[in-house]
Amino acid sequence: MRISAAQRTENENRIRAAMDRLLRGEIPPGGKCDIKTLAREAGVDRTAFYGTRPYAHLRTEFERRLHALQQAGDIPDPREAQITRLKAENAKLRERLTQSEQTIIKLTDFRTQALDRLAAQHEEIVRLRQAAAGTSRVSRLPAPRTTVIGTCS
């Protein structure tokens, strides 16, 4: 069914008005800032926006304006803004997780080295005690007294 020039102009005006509303962030419930919602809000068949159909130039204009807003950091669709925010937050959390894992690896290596050093020092002490016990030149000190005589003031 063909439409008259007046009907086409009226449809284009409705599409442009719906386009302006969507790009301002006035998204209807259950809709997004996309061609499907634009067609529904303007009361036009969605297929009229594709190929060589009469409103393909308006789809191009809508997508260009939407892209320009997104490049400027203004996202009219609150869900898209939330998705963008959550993706950025997810990336930061992944970076923190990577840094935490690297820190854990470093601390585990440090712990292993410290335990190895302690074990080596213990073995050296045991070896020196055994060497000292075998010679008579080393004199033993008396054990410390454990009883206190009088006041300690």
Side-chain angles (χ1 to χ4, degrees):
M1 173 173 134
R2 295 264 179 204
I3 59 174
S4 68
Q7 288 173 325
R8 182 178 172 142
T9 304
E10 181 183 329
N11 286 345
E12 285 186 7
N13 289 338
R14 282 199 325 260
I15 292 169
R16 281 191 183 2
M19 187 185 312
D20 290 338
R21 285 194 309 273
L22 290 176
L23 293 174
R24 277 195 311 265
E26 298 174 19
I27 311 295
K32 297 188 221 176
C33 194
D34 61 357
I35 295 297
K36 182 177 178 181
T37 305
L38 176 64
R40 188 169 27 127
E41 287 295 299
V44 177
D45 185 30
R46 183 173 49 133
T47 59
F49 288 101
Y50 296 99
T52 59
R53 301 290 175 108
Y55 307 120
H57 68 284
L58 292 174
R59 177 183 56 88
T60 306
E61 178 184 341
F62 177 72
E63 290 172 348
R64 181 186 49 77
R65 288 176 59 188
L66 179 61
H67 185 68
L69 283 173
Q70 289 172 342
Q71 291 298 321
D74 184 22
I75 302 173
D77 191 349
R79 286 181 298 198
E80 291 296 323
Q82 182 181 24
I83 289 170
T84 303
R85 180 184 55 79
L86 290 174
K87 283 182 179 179
E89 185 177 333
N90 190 9
K92 285 193 318 191
L93 289 173
R94 286 183 186 274
E95 178 62 31
R96 283 183 53 195
L97 179 63
T98 302
Q99 289 175 353
S100 296
E101 288 172 348
Q102 290 173 352
T103 302
I104 289 170
I105 289 170
K106 288 178 184 176
L107 291 173
T108 303
D109 289 344
F110 177 77
R111 179 178 172 258
T112 303
Q113 289 176 358
L115 287 174
D116 289 345
R117 288 180 188 154
L118 285 172
Q121 289 172 354
H122 177 72
E123 289 175 8
E124 182 67 13
I125 290 170
V126 169
R127 187 188 64 76
L128 290 173
R129 282 184 181 159
Q130 289 173 350
T135 62
S136 60
R137 292 186 350 179
V138 177
S139 59
R140 295 268 179 208
L141 295 175
R145 292 190 310 190
T146 58
T147 57
V148 177
I149 301 172
T151 62
C152 294
S153 53

